[in-house]
Amino acid sequence: MADQSAPSKRSRRETNRERVIAQALNCFVEQGIEAAKISEIAQRAGLTERSVYRYFATKADLVLETALLFWSESMRQVDAQAQRELSRNMCGAERISKILRGYAQLYFTHRQTLVFVHEAEAYLNRCGKALLVENKPPAAFEARVGPLSAAIHQGLEDGSIRTDINVATLYYNTYDAMLGLIQKLAIGGRTDSGDEENARIRLDQFFQMLESFYRKR
């Protein structure tokens, strides 16, 4: 009997954790981290406050898990969209351009959540957490799993990508730079149409610069 019930308990625990994180993200974005209450997050998730603390020892732990999940899910969605839009006849350099511009859309689709991630970094610092939110690529460059990594490798093979630079380092720097700029724009921007147009221009120029680093001259 114990063996039969164990999988069910694990599944229920994971389901509850996911519900808590989802509702925590909503509360943090709507109210700010400091103002958001664990009791309200628990109520929205259909759990007791005590139950939430079984899954997350502190509010800081919940903030960290929520921010990391956002980055993971956002990159997964962008990568999936890029895969749908890429065509077989595109060279590696063309694929890189398409993929990078897909990431730029995070500013327009997840602006308020990007503000939350910035707040999360400051909050976790104040809480003395050694492990902070890190904006990491979805896969190691050598694995050729993520669309950007695969596009770079293809470009090296078809001759559309430069070979006189360390492309692995450029791959990691690309993620750090583009996610950093998108987050910076989200924090400092307004919500009017003029501000969005300014952000669109800056992002377009930024990604043109990134593309130039990859493309063979």
Side-chain angles (χ1 to χ4, degrees), residues 15-207:
T15 298
N16 286 344
R17 276 179 56 88
E18 291 172 2
R19 284 161 55 193
V20 170
I21 291 174
Q23 295 304 326
L25 180 59
N26 292 335
C27 285
F28 293 150
V29 170
E30 293 169 8
Q31 306 168 15
I33 294 173
E34 294 288 358
K37 304 295 184 185
I38 295 296
S39 57
E40 181 177 350
I41 293 171
Q43 183 179 20
R44 291 192 184 192
L47 300 169
T48 64
E49 184 174 353
R50 183 176 180 181
S51 295
V52 172
Y53 281 115
R54 289 197 187 103
Y55 305 126
F56 305 96
T58 66
K59 186 177 183 179
D61 292 324
L62 178 55
V63 169
L64 179 61
E65 288 290 331
T66 304
L68 291 176
L69 182 63
F70 162 71
W71 279 125
S72 176
E73 286 298 305
S74 295
M75 287 193 287
R76 183 188 63 78
Q77 292 170 14
V78 171
D79 288 348
Q81 181 65 29
Q83 291 286 34
R84 289 192 292 269
E85 295 180 356
L86 298 177
S87 62
R88 291 185 178 182
N89 61 348
M90 283 183 176
C91 68
E94 291 171 328
R95 287 172 174 264
I96 289 171
S97 176
K98 193 76 171 178
I99 293 163
L100 291 180
R101 292 178 186 282
Y103 276 96
Q105 292 305 307
L106 282 175
Y107 170 81
F108 303 100
T109 59
H110 293 82
R111 187 167 176 176
Q112 288 305 116
T113 314
L114 289 166
V115 174
F116 150 68
V117 173
H118 173 73
E119 185 183 353
E121 292 171 353
Y123 180 84
L124 291 167
N125 265 317
R126 292 196 299 273
C127 292
K129 287 285 183 180
L131 181 60
L132 302 179
V133 178
E134 295 182 273
N135 305 337
K136 294 182 177 178
F141 174 73
E142 295 75 15
R144 302 181 67 160
V145 175
L148 182 56
S149 174
I152 295 172
H153 283 285
Q154 179 183 331
L156 292 172
E157 294 169 2
D158 64 31
S160 62
I161 296 299
R162 296 171 59 185
T163 57
D164 61 333
I165 57 173
N166 187 324
V167 289
T169 298
L170 181 56
Y171 167 76
Y172 293 112
N173 287 343
T174 294
Y175 272 98
D176 287 340
M178 68 180 179
L179 294 177
L181 175 60
I182 293 167
Q183 189 176 25
K184 178 76 172 178
L185 288 173
I187 297 163
R190 304 182 303 275
T191 57
D192 55 61
S193 59
D195 186 61
E196 286 209 352
E197 182 59 24
N198 177 63
R200 198 178 299 277
I201 292 171
R202 286 191 62 184
L203 288 168
D204 184 64
Q205 292 175 345
F206 177 72
F207 284 112

